[in-house]
Amino acid sequence: MDKIHTNDIEFDQQHIWHPYTSMTKPLPAYKVTRAEGVTITLETGEQLIDGMASWWSVVHGYNHPEINQAMHAQIDAVSHVMFGGLTHQPAIDLCRRLIAMTPDGLDKVFIADSGSVAVEVAIKMALQYWHSKGKPEKSKLMTVHGGYHGDTFAAMSVCDPVNGMHQLFQGFMAKSVFAPKPKQGFDQPWDEQDSIVLEQLFATHHQQIAAFIIEPIVQGAGGMRFYHPQYLKQCRLLCDKYDVLLIADEIATGFGRTGKLFACEHANVSPDILCLGKALTGGYLTLAATLCTKEIADTISQGEAGVFMHGPTFMGNPLACSAANASLALLSAGDWQHQVASIESTLQALYTLSDHPDVADVRVLGAIGVVEMKRPVDTASIQAHFVKMGVWIRPFGKLVYIMPPYVISQDELLTLIQAIKQVIEFSDIWAE
Ligand SMILES: *Cc1c(COP(=O)(O)O)cnc(C)c1O
């Protein structure tokens, strides 16, 4: 048994790419055999309390009886059919739900395969829209530094140029216009300076800009920063004033994570185009969606192509839609509101780290807790400490952060917080 295990891990290291991983010096990957609720079980027998919700997605916990049941039922009926010329109940139910729950005005839904694809679709919608309007020169994107929108090329072109190492791809990739990171934090007093700089960029570039894309309130993988809701309001105002579409990328923030069902609600803003993903299926399968207004859909449909130019093979996959429907039904029961509120209040305990000499900043919003260190940590060694302590937390760069499944108990959450407090006392956790 032990030999098989060793061989599997070696095979994995030698032959399988993991996210953002070297093939010559891969970090060790832990082999999972089960996951249930908030507990991930490793082949070696350790049980880990999950602090990551598998990258924002597993909001109701693993192996959820109702999502399992919905998927079993769907498997026995139909797992997949092409979406060209055919439709089905899971897709219809899903789109009904999404239109009803998202901010006003978004009533056309494109079901995509992953978050990055949903962003590609949003960008293509914006470009086709302006082309149809007889303004093909509006063909660039504008965004802010510090963002993350996915790993495909158009999505990469609006990710932070430094984090995203744009220089590696520069001959191939579209050039976007970048505004500075929003400076004011979520709770800080509002300062007009942020929007003055933004307006100057709109004024200079708007004739070439098809859309402004931004993650509402929380910049996720680009640095886990929470910015002021007034900034998002200004984005909406400037997009209207300068005839630019607003794309809200709620792939990470959607479905309750920030304390509102959608982070746009913190600023009372409706975008023209909305991207959803990650938690959409409760973390069961890859699925995403791009919603837009009737005006955008109608304009595209009256353009030269007469159709929207996108249609993936697995579009609207019934099994993924059925998982999403079960997950959204759980959300609409409403428990998430007090779950996220109670996580947010327990996470306040992280603030005792604010005075720690190695800690640069602590921030909490909804079910997200972030400890930003003064220097980058070594992911492999810090992760090994966490596993020994019975928790699954995977830091990146200077950020040690948690965003647990909403169903985590207070004791489990306190264990995660305690583990973070302990781990930053170790001397071998720093990257060289
Ligand atoms: C994760 C993420 C994406 C990309 O989604 P994938 O499913 O990984 O392609 C895009 N935008 C944001 C804000 C994300 O957090």
Side-chain angles (χ1 to χ4, degrees), residues 320-341:
C321 290
S322 73
N325 283 324
S327 177
L328 298 184
L330 290 166
L331 278 180
S332 68
D335 289 349
W336 70 270
Q337 276 173 310
H338 69 252
Q339 289 167 337
V340 171

Side-chain angles (χ1 to χ4, degrees), residues 132-149:
S132 299
K133 285 235 182 216
K135 291 191 176 173
E137 69 281 5
K138 282 171 89 70
S139 60
K140 278 173 171 278
L141 297 165
M142 193 164 137
T143 186
V144 290
H145 280 272
Y148 178 77
H149 298 283

Side-chain angles (χ1 to χ4, degrees), residues 371-429:
V371 179
E372 181 168 338
M373 308 301 291
K374 288 186 179 157
R375 357 178 221 138
V377 296
D378 179 70
T379 302
S381 72
I382 201 168
Q383 212 171 248
H385 286 301
F386 278 133
V387 168
K388 276 202 202 97
M389 292 185 243
V391 302
W392 179 244
I393 299 173
R394 184 176 163 86
F396 74 87
K398 297 175 183 169
L399 302 169
V400 183
Y401 66 105
I402 49 177
M403 46 207 187
Y406 301 164
V407 293
I408 195 165
S409 72
Q410 171 141 9
D411 280 351
E412 289 162 333
L413 186 52
L414 288 170
T415 305
L416 293 178
I417 294 168
Q418 196 50 40
I420 292 175
K421 290 184 174 174
Q422 257 171 280
V423 92
I424 66 176
E425 299 304 331
F426 290 116
S427 55
D428 63 344
I429 60 162

Side-chain angles (χ1 to χ4, degrees), residues 55-56 113-119 147-152 155 159 213-216 218-221 249-253 275 277-278 286-288:
W55 280 334
W56 314 81
D113 327 40
S114 73
S116 301
V117 173
V119 170
Y148 178 77
H149 298 283
D151 289 345
T152 51
C159 289
I213 180 168
I214 190 163
E215 296 156 274
V218 176
Q219 294 190 288
D249 179 351
E250 292 242 17
I251 290 167
T253 51
C275 300
K278 289 200 161 93
T286 178
L287 189 73

Side-chain angles (χ1 to χ4, degrees), residues 244-260:
V244 167
L245 297 175
L246 177 62
I247 304 174
D249 179 351
E250 292 242 17
I251 290 167
T253 51
F255 307 112
R257 179 60 65 178
T258 69
K260 303 276 188 191

Side-chain angles (χ1 to χ4, degrees), residues 113-281:
D113 327 40
S114 73
S116 301
V117 173
V119 170
E120 299 286 321
V121 163
I123 292 169
K124 283 169 79 169
M125 280 178 178
L127 296 176
Q128 266 194 259
Y129 173 80
W130 290 114
H131 193 277
S132 299
K133 285 235 182 216
K135 291 191 176 173
E137 69 281 5
K138 282 171 89 70
S139 60
K140 278 173 171 278
L141 297 165
M142 193 164 137
T143 186
V144 290
H145 280 272
Y148 178 77
H149 298 283
D151 289 345
T152 51
F153 271 97
M156 270 205 302
S157 76
V158 284
C159 289
D160 186 87
V162 179
N163 290 341
M165 302 206 80
H166 279 191
Q167 75 275 14
L168 302 178
F169 308 101
Q170 87 191 334
F172 194 74
M173 203 164 60
K175 286 219 184 327
S176 302
V177 176
F178 286 91
K181 283 178 197 166
K183 268 198 227 52
Q184 296 327 111
F186 186 82
D187 298 321
Q188 287 176 325
W190 171 241
D191 176 355
E192 286 294 326
Q193 196 53 39
D194 262 6
S195 61
I196 292 170
V197 177
L198 190 61
E199 172 141 26
Q200 283 160 354
L201 283 167
F202 269 92
T204 312
H205 298 283
H206 69 97
Q207 273 149 350
Q208 287 85 49
I209 303 297
F212 181 84
I213 180 168
I214 190 163
E215 296 156 274
I217 308 300
V218 176
Q219 294 190 288
M224 302 296 287
R225 301 174 73 254
F226 312 151
Y227 65 84
H228 201 290
Q230 189 63 33
Y231 188 86
L232 189 58
K233 281 200 176 115
Q234 294 296 328
C235 295
R236 176 71 276 179
L237 290 172
L238 291 171
C239 282
D240 288 342
K241 179 169 171 187
Y242 289 98
D243 229 4
V244 167
L245 297 175
L246 177 62
I247 304 174
D249 179 351
E250 292 242 17
I251 290 167
T253 51
F255 307 112
R257 179 60 65 178
T258 69
K260 303 276 188 191
L261 194 51
F262 297 99
C264 280
E265 294 169 23
H266 288 286
N268 247 317
V269 155
S270 279
D272 302 297
I273 301 177
L274 174 71
C275 300
L276 300 173
K278 289 200 161 93
L280 177 59
T281 61

